[in-house]
Amino acid sequence: MGTSPQALVKEEPNKPRKTGTIKTAKLAQRVVMMLIGASMMAVALEIFLVPNQMVDGGITGISIMLSHIFHIPLGILLTLLNLPFLIVGYKQIGKTFALSTLFAVVVMSIGTQMLHPVQPITVEPLLAAVFGGVILGVGVGLVVRYGGSLDGTEIVAILIAKRLPFSVGEVVMFFNLFILTGAGFVFGWNNAMFSLIAYYIAFKMIDVTLEGLDQSKSVWIISDKYRDIGEALTERLGRGVTYLEGEGGFSGDNKKVIFVVITRLEEAKMKAIVEDWDSDAFVAVGNIHDVKGGRFKKKSIH
């Protein structure tokens, strides 16, 4: 005889819910990480780039040039020039994004004001471009990773990309091309080229910060020795595998497909394991931006 749904509900033990605590912890983490990221941006600007007459892209780059021409504090310009874009972002993208961005921009602006009297660590242009770009990229990446932005042009790029056949990255690159060209007229072409180096390094560091050094990769393996390969991957890499059903497009034969998620650092070992068992196996590897749930956590191996 079956149990009624009402009985099932009554028999279910009451478990304490901690959603409020979890949300508070996540909010605190977001605030702290955006605080660190915006502060790193301020350090990159005032300790490395601005003293060496280099610019970043977007509103930040425009603010640096206007600050140099009109002798207005950089922090004030960063806040004022980003405000219109924050209002647009609030209306078009969302309240959480706009408030997160506002917080990050204010922290960055205050940071640049506080650090302005500090002497630069180096006056060597190449060193300033490299280290400034690294710190700037990590800072921006942290802010973006936790739901904010540090530049109003990104908001404009998102809105333009919705209406025109261009990606957000292409629109931002188009804006920054003009800004970096303008830097050549304001600071000289040598400094503009160093600014381009800093911008490129920052761009790459944003990717590293967003995706992590241990970037995940998805792997599909087709082999008649799928069981041996799967067990070897579990034993030697500590990764769980999934066997999928497949069918050959030409032969019509049934095939087993191994699916496994690994890190970038494990790719070479994975390929060596497959090669040991079947040198003719089909292996396809793709990048994954994020992995959640399931049993991705690495098992202990000996």
Side-chain angles (χ1 to χ4, degrees):
M1 191 173 176
T3 306
S4 67
Q6 288 80 3
L8 286 173
V9 171
K10 290 178 182 179
E11 291 173 6
E12 180 68 20
N14 292 324
K15 296 181 180 179
R17 301 188 61 159
K18 300 182 180 179
T19 53
T21 304
I22 293 172
K23 286 182 179 179
T24 302
K26 286 186 175 181
L27 178 61
Q29 181 189 35
R30 170 181 285 189
V31 170
V32 170
M33 297 310 292
M34 286 199 297
L35 179 65
I36 293 172
S39 300
M40 290 181 70
M41 177 80 165
V43 169
L45 291 176
E46 287 292 350
I47 304 299
F48 291 95
L49 299 183
V50 173
N52 289 283
Q53 296 188 334
M54 297 180 198
V55 303
D56 183 29
I59 296 299
T60 305
I62 295 173
S63 299
I64 293 171
M65 288 187 284
L66 291 178
S67 176
H68 175 78
I69 295 171
F70 298 107
H71 305 289
I72 301 172
L74 178 60
I76 294 175
L77 287 171
L78 286 170
T79 303
L80 291 179
L81 294 182
N82 275 298
L83 275 179
F85 301 103
L86 287 173
I87 295 171
V88 174
Y90 180 86
K91 293 179 179 179
Q92 299 292 331
I93 299 175
K95 178 181 177 180
T96 301
F97 172 79
L99 292 177
S100 299
T101 300
L102 177 62
F103 171 75
V105 169
V106 169
V107 171
M108 176 180 63
S109 301
I110 294 173
T112 56
Q113 284 293 102
M114 294 175 63
L115 293 171
H116 186 68
V118 179
Q119 293 297 314
I121 291 178
T122 179
V123 291
E124 172 61 42
L126 184 58
L127 289 176
V130 172
F131 285 93
V134 169
I135 297 171
L136 189 148
V138 173
V140 173
L142 284 174
V143 172
V144 173
R145 184 168 185 168
Y146 286 91
S149 175
L150 281 168
D151 198 285
T153 54
E154 295 172 3
I155 299 173
V156 176
I158 292 171
L159 299 178
I160 292 177
K162 291 180 179 179
R163 294 170 171 79
L164 296 177
F166 299 104
S167 68
V168 174
E170 289 171 340
V171 176
V172 171
M173 187 67 70
F174 181 75
F175 283 147
N176 289 336
L177 178 64
F178 283 98
I179 292 167
L180 291 170
T181 301
F185 292 102
V186 176
F187 296 121
W189 295 106
N190 282 345
N191 288 346
M193 287 186 280
F194 281 120
S195 296
L196 185 59
I197 293 173
Y199 175 78
Y200 178 78
I201 293 172
F203 183 80
K204 291 298 180 182
M205 289 307 299
I206 291 172
D207 285 343
V208 171
T209 305
L210 291 176
E211 297 175 1
L213 292 171
D214 239 11
Q215 184 182 15
S216 299
K217 290 180 175 286
S218 58
V219 182
W220 293 267
I221 304 167
I222 302 176
S223 170
D224 292 334
K225 298 182 179 179
Y226 65 91
R227 186 69 64 179
D228 295 323
I229 294 174
E231 291 175 356
L233 290 173
T234 300
E235 291 174 5
R236 294 173 61 184
L237 283 184
R239 295 294 180 191
V241 302
T242 300
Y243 299 109
L244 307 174
E245 294 289 343
E247 181 180 338
F250 291 104
S251 64
D253 296 337
N254 291 328
K255 297 283 184 180
K256 286 286 188 180
V257 181
I258 303 171
F259 176 76
V260 62
V261 177
I262 62 175
T263 66
R264 178 177 58 85
L265 301 178
E266 294 169 334
E267 183 177 355
K269 189 172 182 180
M270 177 275 299
K271 290 180 178 178
I273 292 171
V274 176
E275 181 73 18
D276 288 344
W277 284 101
D278 184 1
S279 58
D280 295 324
F282 173 83
V283 180
V285 181
N287 293 328
I288 300 178
H289 182 69
D290 198 7
V291 178
K292 292 182 180 179
R295 296 184 180 181
F296 179 64
K297 187 175 180 181
K298 191 178 178 72
K299 300 177 182 177
S300 298
I301 53 177
H302 305 285

